[in-house]
Amino acid sequence: MSGAHALHNGLTQVPGSAATMHGDKVAYGVLVQLVAEGKEAEARQLLAYYDSVGLPHSWKQMNIEFTDENLWTVAEYTTQPDSTFLSAVPNATPQMLVDAMRVVEEFPAEAA
């Protein structure tokens, strides 16, 4: 969960993210952390649960603008040397996080 909370902190750096609840940002962070760890299949398995309880799995669902600038803002903040994301994924780089968030954004809008 350290990675997920660190991603929450990164998301707070994006304009307009304050309207999204803490738990929603952390839930999204869980998916990104799993993908960054190479566990995309495990992240996808969570989608039906997320849908059933109303947790977001996209920036659109959190009403946050999904732009390159915002992605890099989150990724760079989340992978700072003192970030707890590095406790979860020690070799994480901003590019790795951008790639992981792009993968998560491609997940289906609703699980089958």
Side-chain angles (χ1 to χ4, degrees), residues 40-91:
E40 181 178 340
E42 189 174 334
R44 288 180 178 275
Q45 288 176 346
L46 290 174
L47 294 179
Y49 173 73
Y50 273 42
D51 289 342
S52 73
V53 297
L55 291 173
H57 49 83
S58 73
W59 287 41
K60 181 178 181 179
Q61 291 172 328
M62 294 186 289
N63 296 312
I64 302 173
E65 191 175 0
F66 189 74
T67 65
D68 285 342
E69 181 180 358
N70 286 346
L71 281 169
W72 282 100
T73 295
V74 171
E76 289 171 356
Y77 189 89
T78 303
T79 57
Q80 293 180 65
D82 63 344
S83 172
T84 58
F85 197 89
L86 300 177
S87 297
V89 186
N91 61 338

